[in-house]
Amino acid sequence: MVLEARDCSRMAHTKHTMSTDVESRRRRSTESSEPLWDHDPKGRRCSSQCDRLCVAGAYLEIPDTPSPCTSQYFGHYTPKCLSAHRHSLHSRCTDDVWQEASIRTTIRADNEVEAHKLANNYRFGFRKWKSHVTERPIEDRSDVVKELYSDLNYIKHHSGSLVTVGNVIYVLLFGWWISLFYFLVSLLMFCTIAGIPYGKLCVQLSGYFLWPFGKALQKSSSLVRKCCMKFPHCEAIPEVDEIKETSEVKESTPLLRSAPAITTEIPLTTPPPKQTRYWCRLSTYVWLVLGYPLLAVVHFLAIFLSWMLVFTIPVSKMNVRTLSIILLMPPEEVIIRTVKKAQGCETRVLLCCYRAFNWYYYKFTVDGINVFAVNLLPLVIITLVIGYMDKDNYYVSSEAKFATAVSSIIPLSYYIGMGIASISAQSNFAVGAVVNATFGSITEMAFYITALLQGHRAGNKCYAEIVKSALTGTLLGCILFVPGICMIIGGCKHREQRFNSRSAGVSSALLFISIGGVFAPTLFSKAYGNFICEGCNNLPGNTTNPFLCNNCHYDLSENNRPLFLSHIEPLVYTISVLLPAAYLIGLIFTLKTHSHIYDIHTSDAHCHDVSDHGAVVHWSRSRAVVVLILATVMMAACADLSTEHIKPIISNSSVSQYFIGVTVLAMVPELPEIVNGIQFALQNNISLSLEVGSCIAVQVCMLQIPLLILFNAFYDVGFVLIFSDLHLWASIFSVILVNYIFMDGKSDYFQGTALVVVYLILLALYFFAPAPLGC
């Protein structure tokens, strides 16, 4: 009894301490401007304000020995609803509840549209998308991201040397020839006499572009200069535009807080002489006719090259500002000066650059689209032009056309994914499910159908084998390579990552059903078909020469037609109905009856303050629909060109056609998905990384293959759902292996390495395999 009393008092003291801590945190949250909810696997901070919308679904590692009864209230609901939900969680304080709650955390979303997009990522059948579909305020981003989107018009505090590897590379790639052209144009301006002021400017800019780092281009016509009185040693530099500052003090400002920096206006001691108006000078027209066009060509070339290299985008921004602002100003108003270290205040100038190279520009986006996808978009136009204008291959070879056509699929896949995510995030569940089912597999289906049509027109069965190789390659890549590479990269950053084993179990079960259904006709043909070899060299009494047989296969179409028509073909059609039905049942199971497995929750009615007010969507629904239609049409055209020009490769290449199908044709369209999976893994969200591959593999078996069977039923292109032995056993072994890896609900880089190594071993098998039947 005494022990029980002590335990009760101890528990009461713990509850009192916890309530005090929560109340103190709540008070601090109302006085702080910091984010209200952060990922913290140890402490899991919370607050009561309602200025963020939260969505559950990321699974982080938890402490080894947590207390279920004292930690459950940090569940998947948003902090805004904490007090209302805490009592219900305490009432359900059981081992099962703790086991479920232990892998939950809360993801912060900026608005309701982003929350809907995040929730769609955890839904079965929806394409996983990492990029934002709404614009994010630049002031809420990190300093690294802010620097990426900077216009290079501020003098900022810079620490460290300006002599960096990237800056030296700039001199070698851009600086010397831009400086040389400026010097040549300056000689031309001096020869015109009237353009002498611009000649002097070009001489200065020639030295500037040779090494622009740590120098500022500023306007000298400003009549005032600003300086921060708080920092008496701060440089006073004339500005382009005066920055308006208010002296209002917020109510929450502490009384003992130091006074803000005071900006004073100091008149220039010597006013500048009066100048002739810009458009009333002869030198202006001489410059615009002779000097500016030549430098415009130089700057456009530098802009294009630096933008295509991505990591040198600051060079592109520097050239854009020079071309659009500096070269159109009166030459006497442009001053170049070396910037000393700023001590406390940032001053706006015309141009100031410190680094020409930044690795983080792989994150740079244009209207929500990653810069790499933007740069590859012109390749689509080039592919269509050379593909349909040069049909006889006079100027470009078939191999080059095939390479450009396959490469064009990458940006088109990215645009299709962005369109699907935008429509799904702004629509209800039904519309999102229809869009994902319609356009989610459009990339692969465009290639498969065009390849089958091309083979049917040419009377070549090799195209059908290439399609089967691409289907199997997509399965192997999504089952082995995608989760493997995500585990390796995520495991290098995070020691061990956890994922929801129940949701992974659902995906694994669907994979078993998919593989069993797809390869059932193949197993049936091996049990009842005729095994035929065209020729063998096994002579009587031969004991020295090897036993070789050529073109061994199960004959089901010509010599054993009744077996195919009476048994295998009905089996194929039955499977083509059962697989989509299983996919539909999986949708109902994961989205309706057992949605708690995926742990998808948004704010409830108590969080009425949160809305999508002020959220700016990159692509509206109408724009996303237009982009989807255009990207689909261009995808079909690029797929047609790739299949049209693949014949020289499969006929003249020494590499097996199996290898071409399972690598290039299978994995190139999935590159955007692989990138998404890697980004999820880096953010310690390995659950979504694994779902990326499983979702694609299930859609290949349960949607794409039945659609191909349906297409072949209406238009016979010779597609028979019978795979070679190599496809059969490689796929079955991969599914068994990945289910074994996923059993414990944990992942690290070693498990990922095992999956990738097995994938490479299978690729080696395909590389050394002989050509398939009909090639």
Side-chain angles (χ1 to χ4, degrees):
M1 296 293 293
V2 176
L3 292 176
E4 291 180 358
R6 289 180 181 177
D7 292 339
C8 293
S9 61
R10 195 171 301 163
M11 291 177 61
H13 177 71
T14 303
K15 291 182 180 179
H16 176 72
T17 306
M18 286 171 54
S19 61
T20 305
D21 293 341
V22 172
E23 196 65 33
S24 62
R25 290 173 185 170
R26 186 177 301 158
R27 291 196 194 98
R28 287 198 299 268
S29 66
T30 58
E31 300 176 359
S32 175
S33 60
E34 295 296 322
L36 299 177
W37 187 268
D38 296 318
H39 293 287
D40 190 358
K42 295 181 179 179
R44 301 194 182 183
R45 296 175 294 171
C46 61
S47 67
S48 59
Q49 279 189 325
C50 187
D51 64 341
R52 295 284 186 185
L53 182 65
C54 304
V55 182
Y59 306 101
L60 299 180
E61 186 175 355
I62 59 171
D64 293 332
T65 57
S67 175
C69 293
T70 58
S71 302
Q72 271 187 2
Y73 60 87
F74 296 108
H76 54 271
Y77 281 82
T78 55
K80 302 168 280 294
C81 314
L82 184 63
S83 59
H85 188 63
R86 187 184 308 166
H87 177 72
S88 62
L89 279 174
H90 273 292
S91 63
R92 296 166 53 237
C93 184
T94 62
D95 293 339
D96 294 337
V97 174
W98 165 241
Q99 185 176 2
E100 292 182 3
S102 63
I103 58 175
R104 295 171 183 165
T105 188
T106 304
I107 297 177
R108 183 176 58 200
D110 296 330
N111 50 69
E112 190 172 350
V113 178
E114 285 297 328
H116 198 185
K117 189 263 297 182
L118 290 173
N120 288 340
N121 280 341
Y122 292 93
R123 288 173 175 164
F124 173 74
F126 280 72
R127 188 166 183 170
K128 318 306 176 188
W129 191 252
K130 176 64 178 64
S131 302
H132 282 70
V133 296
T134 59
E135 295 182 7
R136 303 176 64 188
I138 191 64
E139 58 271 10
D140 295 341
R141 312 291 291 273
S142 63
D143 293 336
V144 175
V145 177
K146 288 179 181 178
E147 185 178 356
L148 300 182
Y149 294 93
S150 172
D151 291 331
L152 306 181
N153 59 343
Y154 279 96
I155 296 177
K156 300 179 181 180
H157 177 72
H158 178 76
S159 59
S161 175
L162 295 174
V163 182
T164 61
V165 176
N167 292 348
V168 174
I169 292 176
Y170 161 82
V171 176
L172 299 177
L173 295 180
F174 301 98
W176 68 271
W177 57 272
I178 297 177
S179 176
L180 178 61
F181 274 103
Y182 265 98
F183 181 75
L184 295 177
V185 172
S186 68
L187 296 180
L188 178 62
M189 290 294 100
F190 281 124
C191 293
T192 61
I193 306 299
I196 289 179
Y198 286 96
K200 295 179 180 178
L201 175 63
C202 289
V203 171
Q204 297 178 2
L205 292 178
S206 175
Y208 174 81
F209 279 100
L210 184 62
W211 185 264
F213 312 108
K215 300 177 183 178
L217 289 175
Q218 61 187 56
K219 189 176 181 180
S220 64
S221 60
S222 179
L223 297 179
V224 297
R225 5 180 232 183
K226 292 187 176 183
C227 188
C228 304
M229 300 301 294
K230 183 179 178 180
F231 305 98
H233 301 290
C234 177
E235 296 186 30
I237 301 177
E239 299 178 347
V240 181
D241 300 319
E242 296 182 0
I243 303 175
K244 296 181 181 180
E245 298 181 357
T246 60
S247 58
E248 298 179 359
V249 180
K250 296 182 179 180
E251 296 180 359
S252 60
T253 304
L255 296 177
L256 299 180
R257 182 179 177 180
S258 58
I262 302 175
T263 303
T264 60
E265 297 184 356
I266 306 174
L268 294 175
T269 55
T270 305
K274 294 184 179 181
Q275 300 289 343
T276 308
R277 297 180 62 182
Y278 181 73
W279 295 106
C280 298
R281 308 178 189 178
L282 177 61
S283 61
T284 300
Y285 297 96
V286 173
W287 167 251
L288 294 178
V289 172
L290 298 179
Y292 185 83
L294 297 177
L295 292 177
V297 175
V298 173
H299 282 294
F300 274 123
L301 180 60
I303 291 169
F304 175 77
L305 294 177
S306 57
W307 183 272
M308 296 304 294
L309 294 175
V310 176
F311 303 107
T312 56
I313 287 181
V315 179
S316 179
K317 293 182 178 180
M318 184 169 56
N319 283 271
V320 168
R321 290 191 64 84
T322 302
L323 187 62
S324 60
I325 298 178
I326 297 171
L327 296 184
L328 296 178
M329 291 176 56
E332 66 275 2
E333 291 194 3
V334 180
I335 296 177
I336 302 175
R337 64 189 304 274
T338 303
V339 178
K340 298 179 181 179
K341 292 184 177 180
Q343 299 183 7
C345 61
E346 294 182 356
T347 308
R348 181 179 292 184
V349 292
L350 295 176
L351 180 62
C352 184
C353 182
Y354 295 99
R355 292 195 301 173
F357 195 91
N358 192 340
W359 283 108
Y360 288 98
Y361 267 99
Y362 72 90
K363 298 181 178 180
F364 192 76
T365 59
V366 179
D367 200 15
I369 299 297
N370 187 271
V371 63
F372 288 100
V374 174
N375 289 350
L376 287 176
L377 192 59
L379 185 62
V380 179
I381 308 300
I382 296 174
T383 299
L384 298 178
V385 171
I386 64 176
Y388 290 103
M389 298 297 292
D390 183 27
K391 287 185 174 295
D392 296 328
N393 302 329
Y394 285 139
Y395 303 101
V396 183
S397 63
S398 292
E399 291 80 1
K401 290 181 180 179
F402 173 78
T404 56
V406 172
S407 301
S408 300
I409 294 177
I410 300 174
L412 292 176
S413 300
Y414 194 94
Y415 277 82
I416 290 174
M418 180 67 175
I420 293 174
S422 298
I423 295 176
S424 300
Q426 301 174 73
S427 307
N428 55 29
F429 167 75
V431 175
V434 171
V435 170
N436 274 271
T438 305
F439 292 94
S441 303
I442 197 68
T443 303
E444 297 84 357
M445 292 301 299
F447 171 77
Y448 299 152
I449 292 177
T450 53
L452 292 175
L453 290 174
Q454 186 72 24
H456 179 68
R457 288 192 295 264
N460 191 345
K461 296 182 180 180
C462 186
Y463 286 88
E465 293 298 327
I466 290 292
V467 170
K468 295 176 185 178
S469 298
L471 289 169
T472 308
T474 305
L475 287 177
L476 298 179
C478 294
I479 294 174
L480 297 177
F481 180 75
V482 174
I485 196 68
C486 293
M487 286 182 179
I488 293 174
I489 296 178
C492 292
K493 184 177 180 180
H494 309 280
R495 182 181 181 87
E496 184 179 79
Q497 295 180 293
R498 296 173 181 260
F499 55 89
N500 191 342
S501 58
R502 294 193 65 186
S503 63
V506 174
S507 300
S508 300
L510 289 172
L511 278 177
F512 269 117
I513 297 172
S514 304
I515 297 299
V518 168
F519 290 99
T522 304
L523 295 173
F524 189 88
S525 68
K526 295 185 181 305
Y528 297 101
N530 295 329
F531 189 74
I532 298 176
C533 293
E534 291 185 356
C536 299
N537 64 351
N538 186 23
L539 299 177
N542 180 20
T543 58
T544 57
N545 295 328
F547 178 77
L548 297 176
C549 289
N550 298 323
N551 197 8
C552 297
H553 61 281
Y554 288 90
D555 190 5
L556 299 173
S557 56
E558 290 86 6
N559 300 329
N560 202 4
R561 192 70 177 173
L563 175 66
F564 178 77
L565 294 177
S566 303
H567 301 279
I568 295 182
E569 191 174 40
L571 175 63
V572 170
Y573 290 143
T574 303
I575 289 172
S576 65
V577 174
L578 292 177
L579 287 179
Y583 186 81
L584 181 61
I585 294 173
L587 286 176
I588 297 174
F589 179 81
T590 56
L591 301 178
K592 190 68 176 176
T593 62
H594 290 69
S595 60
H596 63 277
I597 293 177
Y598 287 85
D599 199 18
I600 306 171
H601 296 272
T602 56
S603 302
D604 59 8
H606 297 284
C607 305
H608 53 82
D609 293 337
V610 182
S611 66
D612 58 351
H613 178 70
V616 180
V617 184
H618 288 299
W619 293 2
S620 62
R621 278 188 288 262
S622 57
R623 180 182 177 185
V625 170
V626 173
V627 171
L628 272 180
I629 295 174
L630 292 177
T632 301
V633 172
M634 289 188 288
M635 177 70 71
C638 292
D640 180 64
L641 291 174
S642 63
T643 55
E644 180 181 352
H645 297 282
I646 197 177
K647 184 177 180 180
I649 297 178
I650 62 179
S651 60
N652 301 328
S653 176
S654 59
V655 181
S656 173
Q657 288 81 0
Y658 282 139
F659 184 78
I660 298 175
V662 298
T663 54
V664 178
L665 303 180
M667 297 308 294
V668 168
E670 310 302 336
L671 284 179
E673 303 292 338
I674 296 174
V675 173
N676 284 333
I678 291 174
Q679 290 177 335
F680 287 132
L682 288 174
Q683 291 187 347
N684 202 17
N685 198 349
I686 195 64
S687 291
L688 283 184
S689 299
L690 303 182
E691 288 292 334
V692 166
S694 299
C695 181
I696 299 174
V698 170
Q699 285 186 350
V700 168
C701 296
M702 294 190 169
L703 292 181
Q704 296 178 16
I705 291 179
L707 286 176
L708 290 177
I709 296 172
L710 181 64
F711 176 77
N712 186 80
F714 284 97
Y715 188 83
D716 190 3
V717 291
F719 179 75
V720 181
L721 196 63
I722 298 177
F723 293 83
S724 66
D725 290 352
L726 189 57
H727 296 329
L728 171 65
W729 303 120
S731 300
I732 293 177
F733 176 74
S734 300
V735 173
I736 295 175
L737 175 63
V738 78
N739 277 273
Y740 176 77
I741 294 292
F742 290 172
M743 281 194 307
D744 59 351
K746 302 177 183 178
S747 69
D748 49 49
Y749 72 90
F750 176 75
Q751 293 179 341
T753 303
L755 294 178
V756 173
V757 168
V758 171
Y759 177 73
L760 296 178
I761 292 174
L762 295 177
L763 289 187
L765 292 178
Y766 282 105
F767 182 83
F768 294 105
L773 177 66
C775 296

